[in-house]
Amino acid sequence: MVTEVFTLKYCDPHAVREEKVEASEVIQFAWEGTVREVDACTECFEEHQARFEPLVDYSRPVKKRRKKAAAQTSTAQSDSEQTNAEQPATADA
């Protein structure tokens, strides 16, 4: 026989005040050199986002976007081809 277990996560900032509010978001913060997570309701999450900067992960290098660079080089090539085609050919006599 299989029984389903439903666990509710409660907002940790409200739990400190002994209130039970269901958590739907996760707040990340740095503490003693490690990233920690706290369950939070939407109200506490929005308050945290307004008060603090979001954490930036410096562990991975930033990927360069290829679409813009490829689009710029292709337009530059097509522009140079058009200017070459518009110039009349001169015959050396």
Side-chain angles (χ1 to χ4, degrees), residues 15 17 26-27 29-30 33 35 50 53 56 63 68 81-82 86:
R17 294 175 266 176
V26 175
I27 295 175
F29 62 96
V35 176
E53 291 182 20
V56 179
K63 293 184 179 179
K68 285 186 177 181
E81 290 172 1
Q82 288 176 356
E86 290 173 0

Side-chain angles (χ1 to χ4, degrees), residues 39-81:
D39 296 324
C41 61
T42 53
E43 178 185 329
C44 291
F45 180 75
E46 290 173 359
E47 180 182 335
H48 182 268
Q49 292 294 95
R51 292 176 63 189
F52 302 104
E53 291 182 20
L55 293 177
V56 179
D57 183 15
Y58 291 108
S59 63
R60 295 181 293 172
V62 177
K63 293 184 179 179
K64 295 181 181 177
R65 295 188 179 190
R66 296 182 187 175
K67 292 182 180 180
K68 285 186 177 181
Q72 289 175 354
T73 55
S74 66
T75 55
Q77 288 175 353
S78 63
D79 290 343
S80 64
E81 290 172 1

